[in-house]
Amino acid sequence: MSSVLNRTIEIEAPVEDCFRTYTSYSYLPNVMSEVKEITPEPGMPQILHWEVEGPLGVPVKWEARTVEQKPNELIRWEEVPGSSLKTNGSIRFERIDANRTRLHATCQF
């Protein structure tokens, strides 16, 4: 792993709604413009096939698996052995109040 991205954002939505959105993988392309498609492996929903728009519009594809998930708190993933992209990361969900959530995202690649 050679690069680390860290980002924190606040969202005007309850933590439950944010968590539900980030675990509804077919919906993520609607809120993350660079994500083109995320599809679960048939029979193995913890393994996801990702396709994003990379530099100069070139598609980048890889496989990752969810290794930890705590409702309304955490999603953590790592690459599947043999995947074309070596990556791991997490999204932490922090309730600010009833209608606001802070997301802490970290991705290593």
Side-chain angles (χ1 to χ4, degrees):
M1 305 284 168
S2 59
S3 297
V4 178
L5 295 175
N6 290 300
R7 186 154 186 207
T8 299
I9 61 171
E10 290 186 12
I11 298 174
E12 294 286 329
V15 70
E16 296 83 3
D17 291 352
C18 293
F19 187 82
R20 187 172 29 258
T21 296
Y22 277 83
T23 55
S24 298
Y25 303 112
S26 63
Y27 185 75
L28 279 180
N30 296 316
V31 296
M32 299 173 72
S33 61
E34 66 279 357
V35 174
K36 300 305 172 196
E37 186 175 35
I38 304 169
T39 54
E41 177 73 24
M44 299 181 73
Q46 74 277 16
I47 296 179
L48 301 171
H49 301 275
W50 288 74
E51 181 177 345
V52 301
E53 184 175 322
L56 303 174
V58 175
V60 178
K61 299 178 182 183
W62 73 91
E63 292 76 38
R65 68 182 180 102
T66 303
V67 293
E68 186 176 10
Q69 189 168 305
K70 296 179 183 176
N72 306 325
E73 292 180 28
L74 172 71
I75 303 169
R76 193 168 61 83
W77 67 88
E78 62 186 29
E79 81 272 358
V80 171
S83 178
S84 61
L85 181 68
K86 305 299 181 203
T87 181
N88 67 59
S90 66
I91 299 176
R92 295 188 181 279
F93 299 80
E94 177 186 348
R95 184 185 313 271
I96 298 171
D97 61 32
N99 295 308
R100 291 186 314 150
T101 302
R102 186 173 293 125
L103 299 182
H104 304 279
T106 299
C107 186
Q108 297 179 355
F109 56 94

